[in-house]
Amino acid sequence: MTQSLPFCSFVIVNYNGLRHLRGCFESVQALNYPSDRIEIIAVDNGSKDGSIEYINRQFPEVRTLVNPSNNFAAALNLGVELSQGEYVAFLNNDARVSPDWLRLLVDYLEDHFRVGAAAGKICFPDGRINSVGHRRLPDYYWEDIGFGEADEGQFEEPMEVEGLCWAATLFRRECLDHVGPVDEEFVMYFEDVEYSKRCYNEGWPLHYVPQALVEHEGGGSSSGTGLTAYFCNRNRFLYLAKHEPQELLHGVQTSVFWIEKHYSLLYDTLLVTFKKLMECHRAETVNAVLPKLCQRLAPVYGARDIDKLLARVEVILGYRKPSMAIYDPALHFIGGGQRYLATLASILQDQFEITFVGNRSVSIAQLESWYGLDLSQCSVKIVPLPFFEKRGARHIDATWVTADKKNPFDAIARESQHYDIFLNANQLTKVTPLSPISVFFCHFPDSYREAYFAVDRYTFIVVNSNYTTKWLQKRWRLNPSLLIYPPVEMAGEKRENEKIKDNIKENMILAVGRFEEGGTKKQLELVEAFDRLCGENPDIAQTWKLVIVGGSTPKNGYLQQVQKRVSAVSGTVELHVNAELDELKSLYATAKIFWHLSGLHEFDPERFEHFGMATVEAMQNYCVPVVFNGGGQREIVESGKSGFLIDSIEQLCARTQQLIQQPELLERLSQKAFDRGLEFGREPFERKVKEFFNIIYEEYANLKLPDPAEIAKSGLMRDRSEI
């Protein structure tokens, strides 16, 4: 007899409902139904109150599962998927079924083989009715039939209903298999209304059976949080977008969010609503509904914010890759900053649709040629700035733009709104980002807050060193989102052993830096130091040389001073002006020691090395750095381990003499310098870039539920019978 009864599964979803569990499970165990024909599956949504431990200890026969997300609908699907029953009961953790509940519903469904699911009379603990089914109200609201009424026998006959309350419902397995999974985007609340609609669409009516009694406390895992009201309103939009798209505009205007002006909460729901509409209907339906809805919403949020939502939906649905603009006013020049952004684009072009935005003519072919990178999936858009063209400016200099002038960079701001992500790659502070996501790359805050300052409007700020971070905080009162050291790709051939081979390395001290008019790279001081070193050590003067490499403009007065000073040095000093890349690589490969003095005797933070690209390039070629102890150099050189940090010319000479006179020390530090230099290479840069932009991609290309704490602040707290 027992074997002839259908096997039944109970799926009970729990979230921090420890206080309810004993009563719920004991009511199932007390059913007038053979225990060997029942299985109980508890799916926990990440409880923090010890629920899982309690169930395993007190009810070992209950099968427990942990849902990776706090999603009621997903938990139900997980339970159904793992259940074995011919009938599957959905039971809330705060519900207690009467002893005859299961047998009455099984018998009813066995007698009514086309009914998809049945539920009984659900009452509150005080005896008032909670639900005997769902019925639709005007404006596509729903209510629990009989909600709050005294039970006076008014619902004592079985009947077909539009929907069932899932506090306690028994489904036929065939119905669940035919209709399919619960829509997990509903998360919780209204998922039962939506599923009922699908049941009827597939020919599975739903029935109320009055004798099957249930006591339900209500709000077992979400009471008093505001989540009930929020999700009931949100999911009403999803229902309409999915099943009644022509009523969606009316549904928005008759919603609690609209009537009570909870516009921020309404905005949070629009993304998932647009997505549901677009993925569930053909283009004709979407084109008939969406423009009218957007037209009505635009006065509240602005057309640009509505456009941003629509653009993001396209990405979420996989219609296209997220678009990214990388803006650099100096894109048409060859430079280290431009190599930085080109490298970044080469890394991200598979994941994002990338457009370089510049102000002067340049092509992808040129960028690829200059930097030796594959940028085949990228494009270029030139946005001229007449303000600078009319003035014959060779460089785009933001300091020319003062408060009494119209901001010419508004043209770039307008361009930014056409992209999902806008990267200001060369720290132009006067560009206001209008894209949904924006990133400001700060190489150094070389100005103070002034007219049209907009850095604080960016979503993220990325810096290139801790030194830059310090001055970002001091000058702009801003904190960075992330530190990404620039990629340095100058590594020479890796040695098979630690021996310095005489036929590769020469007795050469190398210095690399531009011959700037202001002398910030300290070439005069370097020549002075070498002259002093040679004067005190004649053997060094005979066997070592100083090679200074740097770019220069024509008629450079500072370079002329350096050339004059070199002519009076007792040792050998070579100047390589505007050397080609291959020549520079060769010099890195043959030099043993690297000098750098930027920041010596300086107080202006801009005149220090903000990071130290040349130092890293030298280290990647087994050059031991002896560099000034300031700026970004401190983050590169581990003094005494991978080189030396010095504070004066005297220390520079002393440390250099020590290295020359102690070949074993020079050899050991050269290997450590190489190892340290690789830590600032392409591989760590690419890893950090991918990690950062993967986070941005996942955030942008996927739906995210609003913060429950923010929902609670909204004042949307009332629970009511209308769904």
Side-chain angles (χ1 to χ4, degrees):
M1 180 67 178
T2 296
Q3 293 301 319
S4 66
L5 291 174
F7 189 74
C8 298
S9 304
F10 279 79
V11 177
I12 301 170
V13 178
N14 176 70
Y15 176 69
N16 289 337
L18 176 62
R19 64 193 183 280
H20 302 297
L21 296 179
R22 177 179 292 277
C24 178
F25 291 135
E26 287 182 348
S27 75
V28 176
Q29 292 177 334
L31 286 167
N32 293 329
Y33 204 89
S35 60
D36 63 346
R37 305 301 293 164
I38 294 175
E39 68 170 349
I40 305 175
I41 300 171
V43 185
D44 191 83
N45 275 342
S47 296
K48 306 298 183 184
D49 63 352
S51 291
I52 286 287
E53 295 79 6
Y54 173 80
I55 297 171
N56 290 336
R57 183 175 64 253
Q58 297 296 326
F59 299 94
E61 67 280 5
V62 174
R63 185 178 181 185
T64 55
L65 304 168
V66 176
N67 184 27
S69 62
N70 187 5
N71 183 314
F72 179 78
L76 286 175
N77 287 335
L78 182 60
V80 171
E81 181 181 351
L82 298 175
S83 66
Q84 303 296 318
E86 300 170 57
Y87 292 98
V88 180
F90 292 171
L91 185 65
N92 279 12
N93 60 0
D94 60 342
R96 291 171 290 280
V97 293
S98 63
D100 294 326
W101 183 85
L102 182 58
R103 186 180 288 272
L104 286 167
L105 293 184
V106 168
D107 289 346
Y108 188 89
L109 291 173
E110 289 285 283
D111 291 340
H112 300 79
F113 65 92
R114 286 304 304 160
V115 174
K121 185 187 296 181
I122 304 174
C123 294
F124 293 117
D126 63 5
R128 291 178 302 115
I129 293 172
N130 177 179
S131 180
V132 299
H134 292 160
R135 65 182 168 207
R136 202 184 84 182
L137 299 173
D139 298 328
Y140 286 89
Y141 282 95
W142 274 258
E143 71 173 353
D144 286 299
I145 301 170
F147 183 88
E149 297 179 17
D151 184 8
E152 297 176 344
Q154 67 272 45
F155 300 110
E156 293 304 309
E157 295 296 328
M159 61 179 174
E160 183 175 331
V161 290
E162 293 180 81
L164 296 171
C165 174
W166 282 4
T169 293
L170 186 67
F171 275 93
R172 190 186 302 276
R173 167 71 66 178
E174 295 95 322
C175 174
L176 292 173
D177 290 344
H178 186 187
V179 176
V182 183
D183 190 332
E184 295 182 7
E185 285 188 333
F186 280 71
V187 185
M188 60 179 175
Y189 297 109
F190 225 90
E191 79 291 329
D192 47 6
V193 172
E194 193 278 328
Y195 202 82
S196 297
K197 174 71 172 177
R198 284 196 279 151
C199 286
Y200 273 99
N201 288 347
E202 298 297 336
W204 293 101
L206 310 172
H207 283 201
Y208 160 69
V209 180
Q211 293 77 24
L213 303 178
V214 179
E215 182 181 289
H216 180 220
E217 182 173 321
S221 292
S222 60
S223 180
T225 64
L227 293 177
T228 304
Y230 172 79
F231 277 105
C232 284
N233 282 276
R234 168 193 185 269
N235 293 348
R236 174 173 165 267
F237 299 152
L238 295 192
Y239 175 91
L240 293 172
K242 187 172 183 177
H243 295 291
E244 307 286 351
Q246 300 296 343
E247 300 296 327
L248 183 55
L249 175 56
H250 179 72
V252 168
Q253 294 180 110
T254 55
S255 70
V256 174
F257 290 164
W258 184 273
I259 294 170
E260 298 186 1
K261 297 183 179 181
H262 294 294
Y263 292 138
S264 61
L265 293 178
L266 174 59
Y267 190 81
D268 288 338
T269 69
L270 292 178
L271 186 65
V272 66
T273 302
F274 289 174
K275 172 182 178 291
K276 185 66 71 178
L277 176 69
M278 293 170 69
E279 69 183 357
C280 290
H281 300 285
R282 295 179 178 178
E284 309 90 85
T285 301
V286 174
N287 291 336
V289 173
L290 202 52
K292 295 178 183 177
L293 181 59
C294 293
Q295 185 179 17
R296 187 67 187 92
L297 293 168
V300 177
Y301 301 109
R304 188 168 68 233
D305 281 352
I306 298 301
D307 288 343
K308 287 180 182 179
L309 282 178
L310 294 172
R312 186 177 173 192
V313 171
E314 292 177 345
V315 174
I316 291 172
L317 291 175
Y319 294 169
R320 62 175 178 83
K321 294 190 291 187
S323 58
M324 176 187 293
I326 301 179
Y327 172 60
D328 185 353
L331 185 65
H332 54 292
F333 287 117
I334 301 174
Q338 290 68 43
R339 174 184 290 277
Y340 179 99
L341 68 91
T343 303
L344 186 144
S346 71
I347 294 168
L348 297 177
Q349 63 182 341
D350 288 335
Q351 191 173 20
F352 299 89
E353 182 182 314
I354 296 177
T355 301
F356 290 101
V357 177
N359 304 127
R360 304 275 173 80
S361 179
V362 69
S363 68
I364 289 294
Q366 286 176 298
L367 295 175
E368 289 181 320
S369 173
W370 292 343
Y371 307 118
L373 296 168
D374 174 17
L375 300 171
S376 56
Q377 298 182 59
C378 303
S379 61
V380 172
K381 182 169 184 180
I382 303 303
V383 180
L385 299 180
F387 176 91
F388 295 99
E389 302 301 329
K390 291 176 181 178
R391 290 163 174 77
R394 184 168 181 268
H395 300 279
I396 306 298
D397 188 347
T399 62
W400 290 13
V401 182
T402 52
D404 59 328
K405 298 180 177 67
K406 184 179 179 181
N407 186 0
F409 297 108
D410 285 347
I412 306 301
R414 289 190 296 271
E415 178 65 21
S416 73
Q417 69 185 320
H418 301 306
Y419 304 89
D420 300 303
I421 305 167
F422 176 73
L423 273 57
N424 188 332
N426 206 3
Q427 63 180 41
L428 208 155
T429 63
K430 299 179 181 182
V431 178
T432 300
L434 300 179
S435 57
I437 298 174
S438 53
V439 185
F440 185 90
F441 284 85
C442 183
H443 306 300
F444 190 79
D446 53 6
S447 63
Y448 291 89
R449 285 177 176 255
E450 53 191 4
Y452 304 119
F453 182 86
V455 181
D456 48 6
R457 300 188 185 185
Y458 283 75
T459 315
F460 303 102
I461 300 175
V462 177
V463 294
N464 63 342
S465 67
N466 288 316
Y467 180 70
T468 296
T469 296
K470 170 185 172 182
W471 287 98
L472 179 75
Q473 294 167 333
K474 281 190 173 184
R475 284 192 167 176
W476 292 349
R477 302 183 299 281
L478 295 172
N479 291 310
S481 311
L482 183 69
L483 163 62
I484 302 180
Y485 288 114
V488 181
E489 299 180 82
M490 194 65 76
E493 185 177 349
K494 190 172 184 179
R495 296 174 182 166
E496 296 300 324
N497 55 61
E498 295 184 4
K499 289 288 184 181
I500 298 178
K501 298 179 180 179
D502 292 337
N503 62 339
I504 296 177
K505 289 290 187 181
E506 300 177 4
N507 291 343
M508 179 199 303
I509 300 169
L510 179 65
V512 178
R514 293 183 305 278
F515 290 95
E516 295 179 345
E517 292 282 359
T520 59
K521 300 300 180 181
K522 304 295 180 181
Q523 285 93 344
L524 278 174
E525 286 80 357
L526 291 172
V527 175
E528 174 65 33
F530 188 70
D531 192 22
R532 183 181 304 184
L533 182 66
C534 291
E536 296 174 355
N537 301 273
D539 55 330
I540 293 177
Q542 294 296 318
T543 58
W544 284 75
K545 65 180 178 180
L546 171 65
V547 175
I548 301 177
V549 182
S552 175
T553 57
K555 300 179 181 180
N556 185 332
Y558 181 75
L559 175 58
Q560 293 171 2
Q561 293 180 51
V562 174
Q563 291 169 330
K564 182 178 180 181
R565 182 66 183 86
V566 165
S567 63
V569 174
S570 55
T572 301
V573 178
E574 298 178 4
L575 300 181
H576 294 238
V577 181
N578 295 326
E580 296 291 337
L581 180 60
D582 287 344
E583 181 184 358
L584 177 60
K585 286 182 177 180
S586 176
L587 292 170
Y588 275 135
T590 53
K592 291 181 178 179
I593 298 172
F594 180 79
W595 278 3
H596 205 298
L597 284 179
S598 286
L600 180 68
H601 304 144
E602 297 288 356
F603 297 96
D604 186 341
E606 281 130 308
R607 295 175 70 86
F608 288 71
E609 202 65 32
H610 304 152
F611 171 60
M613 296 272 288
T615 300
V616 177
E617 290 175 347
M619 293 170 74
Q620 289 182 351
N621 285 272
Y622 296 93
C623 296
V624 178
V626 185
V627 299
F628 181 67
N629 182 23
Q633 305 276 25
R634 293 171 175 170
E635 301 167 48
I636 300 169
V637 179
E638 307 153 297
S639 195
K641 182 179 179 181
S642 56
F644 290 113
L645 296 171
I646 52 89
D647 295 299
S648 64
I649 289 179
E650 290 76 15
Q651 289 183 13
L652 176 68
C653 293
R655 287 300 190 186
T656 302
Q657 182 176 338
Q658 182 184 6
L659 288 170
I660 292 172
Q661 294 175 350
Q662 298 180 33
E664 299 83 3
L665 176 64
L666 179 64
E667 182 178 326
R668 185 174 73 252
L669 264 59
S670 71
Q671 181 63 48
K672 294 295 184 181
F674 175 79
D675 294 340
R676 178 64 173 167
L678 293 184
E679 294 180 23
F680 302 95
R682 165 73 180 247
E683 185 177 333
F685 174 79
E686 183 168 338
R687 184 175 61 253
K688 291 205 75 171
V689 165
K690 285 184 174 179
E691 287 174 356
F692 176 55
F693 283 96
N694 278 341
I695 292 172
I696 290 177
Y697 180 88
E698 291 300 320
E699 179 81 12
Y700 190 73
N702 294 284
L703 290 170
K704 181 182 178 182
L705 296 178
D707 185 350
E710 292 301 314
I711 297 171
K713 291 177 186 177
S714 72
L716 195 69
M717 298 293 292
R718 61 188 179 281
D719 293 347
R720 57 190 188 180
S721 62
E722 290 184 8
I723 301 172

